[in-house]
Amino acid sequence: MNLTDPTFDNSPEQIDATVAAAAAAADTYAAADAATRAALLRGLADALEAARDSLVPLADRESHLGPARLNGELDRTAFQLRGFATRVEAGDAFAHVDDPAVAGGPPAGHPALLRVRQPLGPVAMFAASNFPFAFSVLGGDTASALAAGCPVVVKGHPAHPELTRATAELAAGVVKAQGLPAGVFGLVEGAAVAVGVHLVQHPAIAAVAFTGSFRGGAALQAVANARPRPIPFFGELGSINPVIARPAVLAAQGPALATTLAGSITLGCGQFCTSPGVIVLPDDPASDSFVDALAAALSDARPHAMLTPGMRANFDAGVAGWAATPGVPWRVAPTDGGDAPTPALAVTDAATFIATPALHDEVFGPAALVVRTTSVDEAVAVLRAIGGSLTVTLWGAETDDAASRALVRAAMQTAGRVLFGGVPTGVAVTAGQQHGGPWPSSTRAETTSVGWAAMDRFLRPVALQDAPAWLQRLGGRPC
Ligand code: NAP
């Protein structure tokens, strides 16, 4: 597929036709019962698994991520689709509050109120490059929107165009086989930003789910807000995922933690939104030894090629930015690794980090920045400077003391997920998950894009006052 061929980009007319089909399907699909939606989600999971032998090699060719990782990602994607089917059957999409009338005057007396939730309508879904299955065509955004009763128009990512098309054809086949309107699932393709912009501007698009870079997300959010009728923009963006260690934990477990952390920094060539980018350490001998061990483990790592030449260029520019910043020396300098980048580790102090906003930006790839701190207050100040992150990882907050409380408080104010031990790569798909943190890691920190609560993004509450009996009998399902 030639992405520079202008015919790869859908024309405005093609995009309009795809969105029109989604709009035409919206009322029918919103009214679909739990069994219909669950059957669609399970049918998509089954189809994905049945096509594994052709899809995984295709994904590997386009992404370099390797069959082991891609098979695991396909498993996760199918699990996610089936999980949402189960949640729809359990009634999550139709959850409602039945508040019977209370006789008498206000404020205690009130009419009968039935608080239900209305699917928003067609959702524009922007696939990410770094998860060709789990955050792409049939990923979490698509699964949760379909569970909520919304048609989906996917904007495929040009980093994996063949996989995108093959997965979309499979999805369209399932929609057709189940007798649903074709517009329940649509795809638009393009390597030009104009394609995504036209999609977001379309008056029939009711919400946007975006996973990708801060720059792309901020640009598209501005487009969504500039519409005559602005729409919700659920953006999951880049993140630097600080890891904060307290002295005792490094003295006790330093070498093992260094090996684990190096594995997390280089996993998938560092191309994870949860990749640990900033390591906040006390200024003490145990931390010196830890940095030595981390540097040694990173020097031995051999990442694979990055997803696209563009991402490689961004990575090289990011580490060059560190190199050009005074007070940020290398511990492991990047070298010419040919097709693949080599890992990079730089070191700085808290004052330099806090005073240099460019150091708070994600460097997408196998690189991390160690920030040395002289006090817990300084570690808290580093978190405040970062402002928003998908995750914060705390090593050594097991004791209930003032320092633990200060760090946990700051971590909860900074991130959507706070880990007590371990590394932040790996995001479980489950009820308790929160994947989304304050700006700049997400545009809507009160929502999650991973886990069953992701469905709530696409349901808008409506209070039905003194609703007729036939509406009450629908049990929260739209008519
Ligand atoms: P990306 O380059 O921003 O691409 C995402 C989508 O946005 C693509 O469809 C892209 O289309 C479109 N896009 C980008 N800039 C645009 C603009 N100015 N106007 C209109 N459309 C635009 O991101 P990516 O390369 O796929 O993913 C890497 C980034 O995603 C990393 O920063 C990573 O941390 C983040 N990420 C976040 C999460 C999360 O859950 N928070 C998960 C995975 C990845 P074109 O390619 O056609 O321009």
Side-chain angles (χ1 to χ4, degrees), residues 105 111 146 159 169 208 238 243 297 369 398 438:
L146 290 176
E169 278 168 11
V208 183
V243 175
L369 180 61
E398 280 66 36

Side-chain angles (χ1 to χ4, degrees), residues 78-93:
F79 172 84
Q80 192 157 252
L81 287 159
R82 293 196 180 101
F84 276 111
T86 304
R87 294 319 312 163
V88 172
E89 287 166 337
D92 288 16

Side-chain angles (χ1 to χ4, degrees), residues 245-262 281 285-295 297 395:
R246 291 185 65 196
V249 77
L250 292 186
Q253 306 168 42
L257 286 172
T259 306
T260 305
L261 184 60
L281 303 177
S287 296
D288 293 341
S289 305
F290 176 80
V291 174
D292 290 344
L294 179 62
W395 290 348

Side-chain angles (χ1 to χ4, degrees), residues 9 125-131 135 155-159 190-197 210-220 223 235-239 271-274 307-308 311 314 362 364 390 435-436 441-442 449-450:
D9 292 342
M125 194 293 255
F126 284 75
S129 58
N130 59 335
F131 287 90
F135 285 84
K155 156 67 174 67
H157 199 292
V193 295
V195 171
V197 169
F210 174 94
T211 302
S213 64
F214 173 77
R215 206 170 52 178
L220 286 169
V223 173
E236 288 296 343
L237 316 178
S239 181
Q271 299 167 121
F272 281 88
C273 51
T274 51
L307 290 158
T308 64
M311 284 184 156
N314 284 341
E362 178 191 55
F364 196 63
L390 292 170
H435 190 64
S441 64
S442 309
S449 67
V450 178

Side-chain angles (χ1 to χ4, degrees), residues 80 84 144 428-435 448-455:
Q80 192 157 252
F84 276 111
S144 52
V429 184
T430 185
Q433 190 54 271
Q434 172 56 31
H435 190 64
T448 180
S449 67
V450 178
W452 313 137
M455 196 195 310

